[in-house]
Structure formats: structure tokens, C-alpha cells
Amino acid sequence: MTDGIFGRESGHEQVVFCQDRASGLKAIIAIYSTALGPALGGTRFYPYASEDEALADVLALSKGMAYKNALAGLDLGGGKAVIIGDPATVKTEALLRAYGRFVQSLGGRYITACDVGTYVQDMDVVARESRFVTGRSPDDGGAGDSSVLTAFGVFQGLRASASHRWGTTDLNGRRVGVAGVGKVGHILVDHLVEAGAQVVISDVSPAAIERVRAAHPEVEVAPDADALAASPLDVFAPCALGGALNDRTVPVLRAEIVCGAANNQLATPDVEKQLEDRGILYAPDYLVNAGGVIQVSDELHGFDFARAKRKATAIFNTTLDVFALAEAEGVPPATAADRLAERRMSQVGRLRSILTT
Ligand SMILES: NC(=O)c1ccc[n+]([C@@H]2O[C@H](COP(=O)([O-])OP(=O)(O)OC[C@H]3O[C@@H](n4cnc5c(N)ncnc54)[C@H](O)[C@@H]3O)[C@@H](O)[C@H]2O)c1
């Protein structure tokens, strides 16, 4: 059998459909791999048009988490969950707690967290039914807002990219474009300004722009993300939605480095090659934006911000490792990142076959 969930294309360990008619819960939990440990990944609450669409999303997202967690050096596998429905109308205490009971029923094979449509307060509710929950509020022993270390990790990836490309981590005077100054982007701007970079931003939300300008009046504003990408920059940092690197933006991009927080920045796989052909250094998104998962996963050990920050600092060295592997093996950095993650999953994951008790 080579198609569907059991097919070679998928390779997932376990996919669980969860239903509680009374509360209206319809969820799918997908575990891609537990080779390195329990499968950690957030819960996306979204009004999918169909069950098939939800399934396709959770399969792709859970695989992505396995790679992200492996490359972040965590002892965690990869999983993800989706709850089908509009969070604005169907999210209730009963539904979240029903979901929590299904998470608990997996006995720790899957550990959940926030994602699109779920917030720290929701995780506090889920945690009333399950021990296997991260991303809770600080009052509940949680790590709180994961954007803090996500932005810090992206900044580390950016310094590593600068070191690889220019031989120095110094960003003083470098022109950096940040597309999207939401939860992560605005903190990244703080780091960049502190490092002496000249920052240009874009956002569809005037309020988001105003917040940055109030803190840093010297920051320039581009009319939109496309105009920002086409403007003279040293670094382009996509921090809004996915697909920022596409057939429209890459040909006009003037930055030498792309390093940002957004997930799934490459609109299509061939964009990776286009970036390489244009001599643009691309820091793989799931490598540099792992600070958030590093932050929430620290909750599993009793949250300690300083320890989580130290772990997120390692994104600097991993980024250098990925660029070195890319050069050594003659592949683009995104392929090198995948290879490094796969090697860790197989080499370290294999050790579990040595019985220690
Ligand atoms: N928050 C985290 O911890 C975390 C972790 C890993 C990855 N990410 C990824 O980073 C990205 C940003 O996440 P966030 O938490 O800051 O989200 P957010 O919703 O707080 O911020 C996104 C910002 O982008 C703006 N935006 C939307 N479309 C835009 C466009 N076309 N041009 C310019 N700006 C636009 C929005 O107005 C908003 O201010 C997302 O892709 C997310 O998946 C976030």
C-alpha cells in the first residue's frame, strides 16, 4: 500500500480522529515521528472547508514540526493537531476540555501547544484535562508568549547569516526590511535597532506600524511588502504570512540575505533554486523560527526563561552548520536543513533501540 496515510508520501506514525458530538469537537491529531521523544506541536483551530483539507494540513504541519524540533536539538518528536470549526463561534470550555481528554488519552505520545486560533488561555483549559500541554499562561506555570524567543532566535539566525555572508555578525548600518511587524516582527525590530541596523518595515495594519514607530521613530515604512522586497536592502526578513518568497518577489529582491520568522516562506519548492541562482543566502524558516517551540517546550521541565533563551541562542551555531553542510554537499540551505534534521532523527532516534532499563 503506497497511497494515503499509509503511503510513502506520508510516513506518519499515528493519526487520530477525535469526535465529541455534544460539544461539537471534531479534531485530528497527527504524530509524524516520536523517534526523538514525544511529538510536540500546536493545535490549529480553523474553519476548514472539508475534512480532507484539515487532514492534509495536519499531516504537513506535523511533519514540519518533526523537522523543526529535530533541528532545534530538542528531545522531541513532531506532531500537530487541528480542530475543525470557527474558533470565534464554536470554541467553548466543554469543547476544549473534550479535546484535552483526547490529548491525555494518547498518554504523552503527543504534547500540544498554541497555534493559529488557539491562545495561552485555551491551553490553560486544555490542561485541566491533560498533563501533556505547553504554551500555558505564566500564571498557570506556562512559558507565556512564544514570540519573545521566536524573535530572539530569528535575530540569532540573522547574525549567523551575516557572519557567513559578510564575515562579521555586526549589523551596524545594515539595511534590514521587516515585512510584518506583529507579535514576532515588532520584537525583531527591537533587536535590530539595538544592533544599530537601519530598519524598514511594512505591515497591512496601521496599528502595527504605529506601535513600532512609537518605540523607534527612526524606522522607515515601505508602502507594502512587495515594495519593501524590491527596495535596496541588505537583509529581507519576512515576518507575516507564508509564501513571501515567490515568482514575483524573488526576481526583484535586492537583499543578499533572507532571514525571517514566517513559516513556509518558499511559495513553491523551485524558489529555493531561484534564490541560489541569484546569490541570495536563505536562512531556512523552520530553523530560525524555532525559538518559540524552544520556549514552550521548556515548560516540560518547569519553565525557566534563562535556560530557554540559552537553548534559543544555539540557533546561531545551527544556522552556521546548515550553511556549511549546504556548501559541503552542494545543495541549497533548505535542503541542507532537511538533511541535518533527518540525520538527527535517524542517528539519535536509533539509540532508543538500546535497552537501558
Ligand atoms: N509567534 C510565534 O511564536 C511564531 C513562531 C514560529 C513562527 N511564527 C510565524 O511568524 C509569522 C508571524 O507570526 P506572528 O505571531 O508575529 O503573527 P502576527 O499575526 O502577530 O503578525 C503578523 C503581522 O503581519 C501583518 N501582515 C499580514 N499580511 C501582511 C502583508 N501582506 N504584508 C505585511 N504585513 C502583513 C499583520 O498585520 C501582522 O501585524 C507567521 O508566519 C507565524 O507562523 C510565529
Side-chain angles (χ1 to χ4, degrees):
M1 210 185 291
T2 56
D3 60 342
I5 291 175
F6 294 120
R8 270 190 233 135
E9 292 306 313
S10 165
H12 291 72
E13 278 180 26
Q14 190 176 13
V15 181
V16 185
F17 286 71
C18 316
Q19 175 161 246
D20 176 53
R21 278 183 187 268
S23 66
L25 174 75
K26 278 188 225 156
I28 312 173
I29 300 173
I31 295 175
Y32 179 74
S33 166
T34 55
L36 293 173
L40 174 69
T43 302
R44 184 163 293 193
F45 204 141
Y46 189 77
Y48 292 100
S50 68
E51 213 173 284
D52 282 351
E53 194 188 296
L55 178 62
D57 207 26
V58 78
L59 291 178
L61 292 166
S62 56
K63 182 173 180 180
M65 285 311 299
Y67 279 68
K68 181 185 284 200
N69 294 343
L71 203 54
L74 299 171
D75 291 331
L76 291 165
K80 198 92 179 186
V82 294
I83 299 178
I84 302 170
D86 182 351
T89 54
V90 304
K91 196 193 283 176
T92 60
E93 178 190 346
L95 182 145
L96 289 171
R97 291 182 75 150
Y99 171 64
R101 293 187 74 82
F102 283 107
V103 172
Q104 180 66 18
S105 76
L106 292 171
R109 282 179 51 71
Y110 170 66
I111 300 173
T112 197
C114 301
D115 193 65
V116 175
T118 55
Y119 302 90
V120 287
Q121 297 78 4
D122 300 328
M123 289 306 122
D124 290 347
V125 178
V126 175
R128 290 168 74 175
E129 301 293 342
S130 175
R131 284 184 289 126
F132 308 113
V133 183
T134 65
R136 292 166 296 142
S137 62
D139 287 349
D140 220 24
D145 182 4
S146 63
S147 319
V148 176
L149 287 188
T150 301
F152 177 73
V154 172
F155 183 61
Q156 298 310 314
L158 215 151
R159 290 175 62 247
S161 304
S163 162
H164 183 82
R165 173 50 58 101
W166 300 313
T168 170
T169 57
D170 190 2
L171 295 169
N172 193 24
R174 295 284 180 192
R175 224 173 139 74
V176 183
V178 181
V181 284
K183 291 191 291 293
V184 178
H186 94 273
I187 306 175
L188 179 62
V189 172
D190 293 342
H191 290 303
L192 290 166
V193 168
E194 200 187 338
Q198 291 174 22
V199 181
V200 196
I201 61 170
S202 76
D203 200 294
V204 291
S205 155
I209 288 178
E210 264 328 294
R211 175 170 60 166
V212 173
R213 296 266 298 159
H216 308 290
E218 70 276 31
V219 164
E220 294 171 41
V221 181
D224 57 45
D226 281 10
L228 179 62
S231 68
L233 295 173
D234 295 305
V235 181
F236 180 53
C239 293
L241 308 177
L245 303 171
N246 53 49
D247 292 340
R248 204 178 59 247
T249 51
V250 173
V252 296
L253 201 59
R254 290 164 74 182
E256 285 185 57
I257 291 170
V258 175
C259 178
N263 276 310
N264 306 318
Q265 288 171 33
L266 305 173
T268 50
D270 62 296
V271 171
E272 190 183 15
K273 173 89 175 44
Q274 289 179 41
L275 286 165
E276 195 167 64
D277 289 349
R278 293 215 49 225
I280 298 167
L281 183 67
Y282 170 62
D285 46 13
Y286 76 83
L287 158 64
V288 301
N289 74 15
V293 75
I294 291 171
Q295 180 168 342
V296 299
S297 69
D298 196 77
E299 269 177 65
L300 299 170
H301 315 286
F303 184 59
D304 177 340
F305 183 77
R307 178 179 56 205
K309 189 172 178 185
R310 271 198 306 279
K311 284 192 215 161
T313 306
I315 290 173
F316 179 89
N317 283 334
T318 312
T319 305
L320 291 180
D321 291 346
V322 163
F323 292 146
L325 186 72
E327 281 185 0
E329 300 195 356
V331 292
T335 306
D338 288 353
R339 287 187 183 175
L340 214 55
E342 282 160 6
R343 284 173 201 174
R344 184 159 181 262
M345 278 188 263
S346 75
Q347 290 168 3
V348 180
R350 184 194 65 78
L351 299 177
R352 297 185 155 222
S353 64
I354 302 171
L355 191 62
T356 56
T357 53

